[in-house]
Amino acid sequence: TGIAHLATALRVPSVVLFGPTPVAWWGPPASRPWHVALDHGAGGGDPHGPTCDERLLRIEVDEVLTALATLPPRAAVPGALALRSA
């Protein structure tokens, strides 16, 4: 989840897949609509469990691609850091 937290902090548009913990616990703030959180299920699972969480397994590739298509360009995000080329 570290990359998701960096994307949120740096205001980089992102799609984050959630499970087993709810989006409300660790997800990007609702005030930042340039982050899309995908979650299938209620309640919390075991983030340290021995198998992949069922909520994650229910997220389909097409959902992720659709969410990616909705993201704004980084330049359109208020307060986003400008990328510089070397």
Side-chain angles (χ1 to χ4, degrees), residues 7-16 23 27-38 66-74 76-80:
T8 301
L10 297 173
R11 296 176 179 247
V12 175
S14 61
V15 174
V16 184
V23 174
S31 63
R32 295 188 178 177
W34 50 87
H35 303 293
V36 177
L38 299 178
T66 298
L68 285 169
T70 69
L71 294 178
R74 187 170 185 181
V77 176

Side-chain angles (χ1 to χ4, degrees), residues 5-81:
H5 290 291
L6 286 171
T8 301
L10 297 173
R11 296 176 179 247
V12 175
S14 61
V15 174
V16 184
L17 313 183
F18 269 83
T21 58
V23 174
W25 290 3
W26 301 107
S31 63
R32 295 188 178 177
W34 50 87
H35 303 293
V36 177
L38 299 178
D39 183 19
H40 282 287
D46 181 3
H48 304 289
T51 60
C52 187
D53 188 80
E54 288 295 320
R55 290 166 56 179
L56 281 171
L57 294 174
R58 287 192 289 263
I59 298 172
E60 299 287 334
V61 172
D62 287 343
E63 283 180 87
V64 177
L65 295 175
T66 298
L68 285 169
T70 69
L71 294 178
R74 187 170 185 181
V77 176
L81 298 175

